[in-house]
Amino acid sequence: MIVTCITIFVQPDRIEDFIQATLENHRASRSEAGNLRFDVLQCASDPSRFFLYEAYRSEADAAAHKQTPHYNKWKETVAGWMAKPREGVPHRPLAPEDPEQW
């Protein structure tokens, strides 16, 4: 299993656009066979800061996600709305050990 945590800072005037585009990507990503979780979070104290939590069964599934039309559409759509480059950090989950608990 692989989890990627992505921090994104969005230009204040594009927050609502970013939310809509990201929720569209979220819905399509959840239908991917290898996707276990795709959470979209907005910071309570800074509405321009977002955190995406993506869990996939394997590194191959995570890589396949980056080849999907919905991901590429999202990436191109939101690129100009970011206040600074997004930061994605892959993680190896330690617990829970059973992917079915995700």
Side-chain angles (χ1 to χ4, degrees):
M1 179 186 317
I2 185 79
V3 172
T4 303
C5 299
I6 304 110
T7 301
I8 303 168
F9 289 88
V10 177
Q11 297 169 8
D13 63 328
R14 299 315 297 253
I15 290 172
E16 290 306 316
D17 296 326
F18 178 81
I19 290 170
Q20 294 309 312
T22 302
L23 291 178
E24 182 179 322
N25 182 46
H26 155 81
R27 287 187 289 274
S29 297
R30 288 295 294 135
S31 69
E32 295 173 34
N35 181 269
L36 298 171
R37 203 168 176 95
F38 194 112
D39 296 349
V40 179
L41 303 137
Q42 184 178 30
C43 181
S45 63
D46 179 359
S48 69
R49 182 178 183 159
F50 293 83
F51 186 78
L52 307 182
Y53 182 94
E54 303 177 14
Y56 286 88
R57 290 191 187 282
S58 68
E59 289 187 30
D61 290 323
H65 165 68
K66 293 183 179 176
Q67 303 304 314
T68 61
H70 58 268
Y71 169 77
N72 285 302
K73 177 183 176 185
W74 174 83
K75 184 176 151 184
E76 290 174 19
T77 300
V78 304
W81 302 344
M82 295 184 189
K84 59 184 177 179
R86 70 185 186 277
E87 179 184 350
V89 179
H91 294 75
R92 181 177 51 93
L94 301 178
E97 295 177 26
D98 180 1
E100 297 306 317
Q101 294 179 357
W102 290 78

